[in-house]
Amino acid sequence: HCLQFSSLLLFCFGLCSSWWGGVQMGPPDPILGVTEAFKRDTNPKKMNLGVGAYRDDQGKPFVLSCVRKAEALIASKQLDKEYLPIGGLGEFTKACAQLALGNDSEVLKSSRNITVQTISGTGSLRIGANFLSRFHGGPRDVYLPKPSWGNHTPIFRDAGMQLKAYRYYDPSTCGFDFKGALEDISKIPEQSVILLHACAHNPTGVDPRPEQWKEIADIVKKRNLLVFFDMAYQGFASGDIDRDAWAVRYFIEQGHNIVLSQSFAKNMGLYGERVGGFTVVCKDAEEAKRVESQLKILIRPIYSNPPMNGARIASTILSTPDLRSLWLEEVHGMANRIIKMREQLAAGLKKNGSSHNWQHVIDQIGMFCFTGLKPEQVERIIKEYSVYMTKDGRISMAGVSSGNVGYLAEAIHAVTK
Amino acid sequence: MSVFSDVPQAPPVAVFKLTADFREDSHPQKVNLGVGAYRTDDCQPWVLPVVKKVERLIVEDESLNHEYLPILGLPEFRSASSKVALGDDSAAIKDNRVGGVQALGGTGALRIGAEFLRRWYNGVNNTATPVYVSAPTWENHNAVFADAGFKDIRPYHYWDAAKRGLDFTGFQDDLEKAPEHSIFVLHACAHNPTGTDPTQEEWKKIAEIMKRRNLFVFFDSAYQGFASGSLDKDAWAIRFFVSEGFELFVAQSFSKNFGLYNERVGNLTVVAQDSENLTRILSQMEKIVRTTWSNPPSQGARIVSKTLNCPELFAEWYAANVKTMADRVLLMRDQLKSKLQALGTPGTWDHITQQIGMFSFTGLNPKQVEFMIKEKHVYLMASGRINMCGLTSKNIDYVAQSIHDAVTTIQ
């Protein structure tokens, strides 16, 4: 009769319930939650420092002039809307690789890279993760810095990889735990994958210095690790595209055949157009062709081929001399504004009489700053000052302007004194 | 020693290889009947006039920026898309149990839907649930579901080569024999590659069996409007199934009916039992999207959304542009059949006008296809599938003659 009972259950199930009764409610996105709460707040002095998109000094989204000019140029060309190749717009992938590797790159000269257009940085990381999952013969472990961008873990996990970590951020200094990183990396099993943030580490803003990168490259080579660089902020970090790509180029020069994700969301302000690239540096051109063929096989059942608009804009900017110069100026401008806000914030904290060391605010680089605020302090600053940030004390410097940096300094001082 | 020394060379994707070969061919009379994109009578790609208009509006609108869209996409786009599929007066939409996930083309919508089903359908992470795709089907269906994790992808009878039509008996048989809860991928209209759709009566029978056997309905809708020229007619099957109370998915593509191939505009319409279920489903869809592409591209969705949500633009799109495309395809079908009949080409050619949409399954066998390509420089898929859009008033005589020669020379 057990069989009859369960059949009856199934019968009722089929009649009156949904397929989806067992679908759990997904957890709310922590960063979205910050923005939601910010929107509800009526305090006129409120600040949203969760936002991961650049804002100008008036707190507004910034569309780069070079982008508007490129768009006008493109519109005048009356191009068709035919499918792109699976690997994307050729002019874009070429320019994308050149930007990262440098015009004189031996890799480019020997055609031993394959670069495909991807759906911004996320899409690039996912394609890379899928590729490694399918073809990397080494351990399935990907080593992330502690902490790393929140989305790295689920991306690699969904691709079938496993996640481990190496020490990175030192909360006692709000800086780089160089010793800890080297120790941990030296113990990573051979052929594992190690993910490195090329510049402007997210979420801490803490980057290794060049001498430190050299030692990291050395030990990574000794351990025979596969390097996965995530470069989402080239140009946006220091204001100089070559300087920001230094680590990537150094590793390649040292003989590491890296894989690399690039995003143009921040440095060209093309967030919603989803412009990115994924590169595999191979042994030679023949291997690059084989790898390319497999990347296509991976891409086709996800989205067939990538979107044109953003790639066309990026490609136009990179290959039109006037627009490229304008872009370099504008990206320099964005980086400078951030750097200025860092300086003003640190100065403001000092002025308020803070006894703490805020040097890390200036030393850290890129869009984000790990303030060092503890969870209780974060709770207080949100509640009492309407300054919204994520629980880990991370603030987006993009949300800071000359109009509100003074208030921010007051608020941080108030909850930390 | 490279980590990638053992990576094998993958075979090229057939349909793109065909176009590549066509491009390299220098024969003056070459014809490309391969890849599925619309062509004008001059054999040129066609950017819809309404699309040009809307793109200008977008470029000139200084208030627009390039900020991230929400994870699930542009809200106005999602709602307008689902409305196009389900109809303006959809009771399901009024009941707040319909949601959309903006995706990268129809492919993206299928993949997100497949990933969701693998995680949450028929248990949790049940990779053993059978997925049925038609025999034949769009060649990418298999890989979409396989890469989403499904281990058991099976064909259901569909094309009857002997009678050049639907094998409805075989189809029903497979529905009856499929394990309960199996997923069936159904082409909403203009079946790719055969161009052969079930009749309304046949759809009703399919629905009856699927309901009785608890099978999951996943519609692939890539040609709404493009097939017959009528949005309502091309969505009849979808709307019928919704009215019968099915919880279902519809992967929509706007590549063909808006000619927006390279902007990757698609939508996964989710019809749930009630709004509470829908909320939970969409929350999990967000998680899947977040690790795939984070949020979808803006441009194409803006174009479609502006057009669908503005009555004048909608009218221009539907009554003028879509009609132009559908009418030209119908004309080519008509003329190809007439010419083959006039030539006295052996066999029956009624299927050319009975079939619907972009594609026609000619019935040519692989040897005849090879002849067409090598001897006649007329490029078509090995399956005998031709893209009607590749036919023009200037090449149709040559193509008809080539088919005639293939059929009479090669067995």
Side-chain angles (χ1 to χ4, degrees):
Chain A
H1 77 221
C2 281
L3 202 61
Q4 283 177 322
F5 181 65
S6 54
S7 307
L8 186 67
L9 262 184
L10 279 171
F11 181 67
C12 285
F13 196 90
L15 269 188
C16 49
S17 71
S18 159
W19 288 127
W20 313 122
V23 173
Q24 293 155 27
M25 186 69 191
D29 185 280
I31 298 177
L32 211 68
V34 167
T35 298
E36 293 301 301
F38 168 81
K39 282 192 191 141
R40 287 192 297 268
D41 194 324
T42 51
N43 183 343
K45 288 190 162 172
K46 66 181 180 177
M47 291 176 71
N48 186 358
L49 300 183
V51 71
Y54 180 80
R55 294 284 175 265
D56 64 17
D57 203 47
Q58 275 72 50
K60 297 274 178 297
F62 175 53
V63 178
L64 280 66
S65 295
C66 63
V67 167
R68 287 221 193 274
K69 287 187 156 72
E71 287 178 308
L73 242 168
I74 291 163
S76 71
K77 286 193 180 150
Q78 300 282 298
L79 301 165
D80 66 40
K81 298 268 175 216
E82 295 299 287
Y83 287 122
L84 283 178
I86 299 174
L89 183 65
E91 301 147 38
F92 168 73
T93 55
K94 195 153 169 267
C96 177
Q98 260 173 4
L99 181 67
L101 306 186
N103 289 334
D104 301 324
S105 167
E106 162 273 323
V107 168
L108 295 175
K109 289 195 172 78
S110 355
S111 300
R112 64 184 185 93
N113 66 302
I114 169 59
T115 300
V116 293
Q117 180 188 338
T118 57
I119 317 302
S120 205
T122 300
S124 177
L125 287 161
R126 183 54 183 274
I127 296 299
N130 282 359
F131 179 75
L132 293 178
S133 185
R134 195 172 272 189
F135 291 106
H136 180 51
R140 305 202 66 73
D141 297 315
V142 176
Y143 285 76
L144 301 179
K146 207 186 311 186
S148 194
W149 181 45
N151 207 17
H152 277 146
T153 294
I155 288 172
F156 281 101
R157 193 167 282 149
D158 279 6
M161 303 296 281
Q162 277 150 14
L163 282 311
K164 293 217 159 66
Y166 56 92
R167 275 173 286 170
Y168 191 84
Y169 179 70
D170 185 347
S172 65
T173 61
C174 293
F176 184 34
D177 181 0
F178 183 44
K179 189 158 165 283
L182 287 183
E183 268 175 37
D184 285 353
I185 295 173
S186 68
K187 297 201 185 90
I188 297 179
E190 292 205 28
Q191 300 209 348
S192 303
V193 179
I194 182 169
L195 185 133
L196 302 168
H197 296 225
C199 63
H201 180 270
N202 179 0
T204 68
V206 170
D207 285 350
R209 288 192 304 275
E211 325 77 86
Q212 294 172 324
W213 272 125
K214 287 181 177 173
E215 285 201 50
I216 294 169
D218 211 44
I219 190 124
V220 162
K221 187 182 269 192
K222 284 196 174 73
R223 299 302 304 153
N224 193 18
L225 305 178
L226 175 51
V227 175
F228 198 143
F229 264 114
D230 184 356
M231 184 156 69
Y233 299 98
Q234 186 184 6
F236 194 93
S238 69
D240 181 329
I241 50 163
D242 295 314
R243 193 157 148 203
D244 289 347
W246 184 84
V248 168
R249 297 175 190 180
Y250 178 77
F251 270 68
I252 292 173
E253 278 163 32
Q254 294 303 303
H256 296 267
N257 284 349
I258 67 167
V259 304
L260 166 70
S261 284
Q262 290 170 264
S263 167
F264 289 85
K266 284 83 173 170
N267 61 10
M268 283 195 181
L270 289 173
Y271 308 91
E273 302 297 337
R274 319 309 292 127
V275 196
F278 177 67
T279 293
V280 182
V281 176
C282 300
K283 191 179 75 183
D284 51 38
E286 187 270 334
E287 184 173 276
K289 283 267 160 263
R290 280 184 285 115
V291 169
E292 179 185 17
S293 71
Q294 295 295 347
L295 287 172
K296 287 180 182 175
I297 299 285
L298 273 169
I299 291 171
R300 172 88 167 135
I302 306 178
Y303 53 83
S304 277
N305 39 70
M308 166 66 101
N309 197 47
R312 180 69 77 184
I313 294 171
S315 158
T316 302
I317 291 170
L318 292 173
S319 26
T320 311
D322 289 349
L323 295 183
R324 192 184 174 106
S325 313
L326 179 55
W327 173 57
L328 291 175
E329 268 177 50
E330 294 189 283
V331 93
H332 193 79
M334 290 193 285
N336 269 1
R337 194 184 88 67
I338 302 268
I339 291 168
K340 208 161 127 203
M341 291 301 102
R342 289 180 177 280
E343 287 163 3
Q344 288 189 9
L345 178 58
L349 285 161
K350 195 158 173 221
K351 211 169 103 193
N352 272 276
S354 176
S355 55
H356 298 288
N357 180 355
W358 295 102
Q359 185 59 32
H360 58 281
V361 170
I362 297 179
D363 289 344
Q364 288 169 9
I365 191 169
M367 198 179 287
F368 300 112
C369 169
F370 243 32
T371 54
L373 258 58
K374 302 187 188 53
E376 325 78 75
Q377 295 167 329
V378 171
E379 216 183 305
R380 270 192 70 200
I381 207 173
I382 294 176
K383 232 188 220 119
E384 297 172 30
Y385 294 90
S386 297
V387 172
Y388 289 81
M389 62 182 70
T390 43
K391 271 206 316 273
D392 53 9
R394 183 194 85 163
I395 59 174
S396 166
M397 294 308 299
V400 183
S401 67
S402 48
N404 62 27
V405 64
Y407 178 70
L408 179 59
E410 275 174 41
I412 292 178
H413 174 61
V415 303
T416 56
K417 64 180 176 202
Chain B
M1 184 63 183
S2 163
V3 279
F4 301 127
S5 325
D6 295 336
V7 173
Q9 176 77 31
V13 178
V15 67
F16 300 130
K17 170 92 177 36
L18 194 73
T19 293
D21 291 344
F22 169 81
R23 284 213 186 98
E24 279 184 31
D25 189 332
S26 52
H27 195 270
Q29 283 181 297
K30 65 177 183 177
V31 181
N32 186 359
L33 300 180
V35 77
Y38 179 79
R39 291 284 176 270
T40 63
D41 197 58
D42 293 314
C43 222
Q44 292 303 307
W46 192 51
V47 179
L48 276 57
V50 74
V51 167
K52 283 192 188 170
K53 189 180 285 186
V54 174
E55 279 196 310
R56 238 186 341 262
L57 291 172
I58 291 172
V59 167
E60 288 163 7
D61 187 347
E62 297 253 313
S63 75
L64 289 176
N65 55 41
H66 291 291
E67 294 296 291
Y68 288 124
L69 284 181
I71 296 173
L72 295 180
L74 188 65
E76 317 84 273
F77 166 77
R78 296 159 56 207
S79 54
S81 301
S82 294
K83 219 163 137 214
V84 158
L86 302 189
D88 286 337
D89 50 358
S90 164
I93 292 179
K94 288 195 178 71
D95 286 344
N96 290 317
R97 58 190 186 90
V98 175
V101 180
Q102 181 187 337
L104 271 82
T107 305
L110 284 163
R111 182 58 177 264
I112 299 298
E115 292 279 354
F116 179 89
L117 290 172
R118 192 261 297 160
R119 283 164 173 73
W120 297 108
Y121 174 69
N122 198 24
V124 171
N125 204 37
N126 188 354
T127 59
T129 301
V131 178
Y132 283 81
V133 297
S134 63
T137 193
W138 180 48
E139 115 286 335
N140 205 16
H141 275 148
N142 208 291
V144 167
F145 283 87
D147 280 14
F150 286 102
K151 301 273 180 258
D152 183 359
I153 300 166
R154 313 175 180 184
Y156 60 87
H157 285 86
Y158 197 83
W159 173 248
D160 184 333
K163 74 172 210 211
R164 287 191 192 167
L166 180 66
D167 176 5
F168 192 47
T169 309
F171 189 173
Q172 287 172 96
D173 206 47
D174 287 331
L175 289 168
E176 293 285 6
K177 295 206 173 85
E180 266 203 318
H181 308 307
S182 295
I183 295 163
F184 272 75
V185 180
L186 305 172
H187 298 230
C189 71
H191 182 271
N192 177 0
T194 69
T196 301
D197 292 341
T199 61
Q200 288 186 3
E201 287 315 303
E202 287 167 340
W203 274 124
K204 285 178 179 171
K205 192 71 176 76
I206 292 165
E208 185 268 312
I209 305 172
M210 290 188 79
K211 188 184 280 192
R212 183 169 27 89
R213 307 231 50 262
N214 286 314
L215 305 172
F216 186 79
V217 177
F218 199 149
F219 273 113
D220 183 351
S221 177
Y223 302 99
Q224 191 185 1
F226 193 98
S228 70
S230 160
L231 291 171
D232 296 328
K233 196 152 163 231
D234 291 345
W236 186 87
I238 296 171
R239 296 174 190 184
F240 175 73
F241 274 69
V242 172
S243 71
E244 287 291 298
F246 284 88
E247 290 178 291
L248 52 78
F249 286 176
V250 185
Q252 299 170 264
S253 167
F254 291 92
S255 290
K256 283 83 172 171
N257 59 14
F258 262 86
L260 282 173
Y261 308 94
N262 70 18
E263 298 296 3
R264 316 312 294 126
V265 202
N267 186 55
L268 178 70
T269 285
V270 175
V271 180
Q273 195 178 69
D274 53 47
S275 66
E276 193 271 331
N277 269 289
L278 181 68
T279 304
R280 279 181 289 111
I281 293 167
L282 292 180
S283 76
Q284 292 298 344
M285 291 285 183
E286 276 194 352
K287 280 185 73 181
I288 295 168
V289 169
R290 184 68 170 137
T291 62
T292 314
W293 53 63
S294 268
N295 41 75
S298 182
Q299 181 73 354
R302 275 180 173 163
I303 295 169
V304 173
S305 172
K306 262 185 153 45
T307 307
L308 294 180
N309 286 313
C310 164
E312 292 89 54
L313 294 172
F314 180 90
E316 187 182 342
W317 170 65
Y318 187 26
N321 300 172
V322 169
K323 187 172 187 334
T324 296
M325 294 190 288
D327 282 353
R328 197 178 97 64
V329 170
L330 288 168
L331 180 65
M332 290 298 101
R333 284 187 178 279
D334 210 55
Q335 290 191 352
L336 182 61
K337 181 178 99 173
S338 308
K339 288 184 192 293
L340 288 170
Q341 284 172 343
L343 285 169
T345 310
T348 55
W349 299 101
D350 291 331
H351 57 285
I352 292 190
T353 46
Q354 280 162 2
Q355 289 165 5
I356 189 169
M358 200 180 274
F359 301 114
S360 176
F361 239 31
T362 54
L364 293 173
N365 65 41
K367 285 210 183 80
Q368 292 165 336
V369 169
E370 206 186 326
F371 173 88
M372 293 283 285
I373 297 174
K374 287 217 163 69
E375 304 303 322
K376 298 293 178 181
H377 307 270
V378 175
Y379 288 74
L380 66 157
M381 301 296 290
S383 60
R385 183 191 90 169
I386 59 172
N387 177 5
M388 301 305 298
C389 301
L391 290 173
T392 69
S393 55
K394 299 166 193 58
N395 67 25
I396 195 161
D397 283 312
Y398 178 69
V399 172
Q401 186 64 54
S402 302
I403 292 175
H404 180 86
D405 293 346
V407 170
T408 51
T409 327
I410 315 278
Q411 258 67 57

